Amino acid sequence: MAKVVVPDDVYKECQINIKENNKHPDGKYWTRIEKRQWAVGLFLGTAMLYSSRTIMPLAVVSVSEEMGWDKTESGTVLSAFFWGYTMTQFLGGYLSDRIGGDVVIPTAACLWGLITFWTPQLAYVATDKHSALYIVVLTRALQGIFQGFHFPSMTSLVSRKVTESERSSTFVMVSTGATFGTLLTGSLGSFLLDRYGWQMPFYIIGSCSLIWMLCVRYFLINKHRKSYATVRMDDAPSSAKFRGQPAVPWVSLFTKPAFWSIIVGHFCENNAFYILLSWLPTYFHENFPHARGWVFNVVPWIVTIPSSIFSGWLADKLITKGYSVTFVRKLMESVALLGTSFFLVFISYTTTYTGSLTCMAIAISCCGFHNSGILVNPQDIAPKHAGSVFGIMNMAGAIPGFVGVYIAGHILEATKSWSAVFNQTAGVCLVGWMVFVLFGTGKKII
């Protein structure tokens, strides 16, 4: 074999990789350094993902006033994202299981980043109200199509590269980027909206998304591939490692109650999360018109970050201490669904701004426990096919994004009652909790 001369810094990093991989001779898992780097990269990517998708809920009041949309039309715009988001969940998981999430994630990010950046210009292409509405709806749907690849790809990547005992905390860490991204839009986006108009958040966050994609592509993915290829070509984390995977046993999977329990539970939790995500700014604008936008767009999401991280730490701690994975997943999901349900009902009885903000913040922070419950469960029940299973689960979980959000807008238009929206959302959460507690499991089923 011919000698290869490598720079000292690359050589030293490769030596660390070899020592770490000696713990796992098949080179299956990330080293400690790699896991840290990927966790930071995926965290920032998820933050950009959510930051770009939540600009429209933040700006919808201003946009609808300028365009002349009513509540139903605004609900159509908000829900259009999930029409597209539903379409690519399974495809994203399937492709990632086959060719690698590190290939799929940056490719999709390039496309949804560009769409985010160009949304304001596309909205002004038409001169009449209805044509502008159709264009914005199409833009939101396309953004959803390309963002639909992200979470299934990330799930596939983490399930293959992180050990079971560290899976909850790692996945929660990268998923917490969703809250950070929402927080970024609520703070920076609110400032840009108030100071420069509703168009500026699209330009700034769209640009940041494209910069993140380029950094991950050229500084993280290429660096790791070069490091592995230099010393141990057979361990390179390239797409070749993912080819030739066994087919997903769909018939067997669809007969398992545990599989259906995560679909129902994820559907119900997402129903609450997406309604709050989409309609929270409108709720506070209507009920407390003099409240500062950056406060109610930031506070409910900033408390979710520690709750999500804590849930991941607690889940891994309980598993390490000997509690069954099944018990831990159900415990985390109980906090998520029961907590969200309780505070959504309670908010209907509050009349003050502080009380409403507190209830909303606690309800959303309870959603953070979902990350270490059902959201990580596909990696438990189907570790070899986690991307595909997560794709199916998240496809069902995206349906409330357009059905639930649209229905919420329709209910508000017809009844003018926020209590009606929150109470029916709480009831859906209770259904999801009962199904998952009865039929869910943390054991491998396929």
Side-chain angles (χ1 to χ4, degrees), residues 235-288:
D235 287 340
S238 65
S239 60
K241 293 285 285 182
F242 297 92
R243 295 195 185 99
Q245 292 295 327
V248 182
W250 292 115
V251 175
S252 174
L253 184 66
F254 283 121
T255 60
K256 305 291 186 181
F259 171 71
W260 291 104
S261 73
I262 65 173
I263 288 181
V264 174
H266 191 54
F267 177 97
C268 295
E269 169 62 25
N270 275 11
N271 183 68
F273 182 79
Y274 288 142
I275 286 175
L276 294 177
L277 183 71
S278 299
W279 287 108
L280 183 145
T282 305
Y283 167 77
F284 281 103
H285 271 299
E286 289 192 351
N287 290 278
F288 309 100

Side-chain angles (χ1 to χ4, degrees), residues 135-158:
I135 291 173
V136 174
V137 166
L138 177 60
T139 301
R140 289 278 290 171
L142 287 173
Q143 185 185 43
I145 285 174
F146 296 120
Q147 288 204 358
F149 288 94
H150 185 85
F151 269 97
S153 301
M154 194 166 68
T155 299
S156 176
L157 201 55
V158 171

Side-chain angles (χ1 to χ4, degrees), residues 87-322:
M87 297 178 187
T88 50
Q89 293 296 316
F90 170 71
L91 179 61
Y94 177 82
L95 288 176
S96 299
D97 284 344
R98 294 288 172 177
I99 65 175
D102 58 342
V103 176
V104 177
I105 289 173
T107 303
C110 177
L111 297 170
W112 57 257
L114 286 171
I115 290 174
T116 302
F117 183 86
W118 286 110
T119 293
Q121 295 302 315
L122 293 171
Y124 288 125
V125 168
T127 55
D128 65 288
K129 163 188 169 181
H130 294 292
S131 297
L133 176 65
Y134 296 147
I135 291 173
V136 174
V137 166
L138 177 60
T139 301
R140 289 278 290 171
L142 287 173
Q143 185 185 43
I145 285 174
F146 296 120
Q147 288 204 358
F149 288 94
H150 185 85
F151 269 97
S153 301
M154 194 166 68
T155 299
S156 176
L157 201 55
V158 171
S159 69
R160 293 174 181 277
K161 292 297 183 179
V162 180
T163 60
E164 182 180 80
S165 62
E166 299 176 321
R167 210 169 276 162
S168 295
S169 57
T170 302
F171 194 77
V172 166
M173 170 64 184
V174 298
S175 298
T176 303
T179 305
F180 182 77
T182 306
L183 177 62
L184 180 65
T185 300
S187 54
L188 176 62
S190 295
F191 170 78
L192 294 172
L193 176 67
D194 294 339
R195 182 67 66 90
Y196 302 105
W198 66 266
Q199 300 89 347
M200 190 57 67
F202 286 93
Y203 295 139
I204 299 298
I205 294 174
S207 299
C208 290
S209 300
L210 294 171
I211 291 170
W212 168 80
M213 180 274 297
L214 292 173
C215 288
V216 167
R217 180 68 181 84
Y218 292 105
F219 294 109
L220 183 60
I221 297 175
N222 281 2
K223 179 182 176 182
H224 284 163
R225 286 180 175 173
K226 180 180 178 181
S227 174
Y228 273 81
T230 304
V231 178
R232 291 183 63 180
M233 199 66 165
D234 58 312
D235 287 340
S238 65
S239 60
K241 293 285 285 182
F242 297 92
R243 295 195 185 99
Q245 292 295 327
V248 182
W250 292 115
V251 175
S252 174
L253 184 66
F254 283 121
T255 60
K256 305 291 186 181
F259 171 71
W260 291 104
S261 73
I262 65 173
I263 288 181
V264 174
H266 191 54
F267 177 97
C268 295
E269 169 62 25
N270 275 11
N271 183 68
F273 182 79
Y274 288 142
I275 286 175
L276 294 177
L277 183 71
S278 299
W279 287 108
L280 183 145
T282 305
Y283 167 77
F284 281 103
H285 271 299
E286 289 192 351
N287 290 278
F288 309 100
H290 300 296
R292 293 183 179 275
W294 69 266
V295 176
F296 58 74
N297 284 321
V298 168
V299 172
W301 303 106
I302 200 170
V303 298
T304 308
I305 295 176
S307 76
S308 297
I309 294 173
F310 172 74
S311 73
W313 173 85
L314 179 61
D316 281 349
K317 192 75 172 177
L318 291 173
I319 292 172
T320 302
K321 284 186 173 293

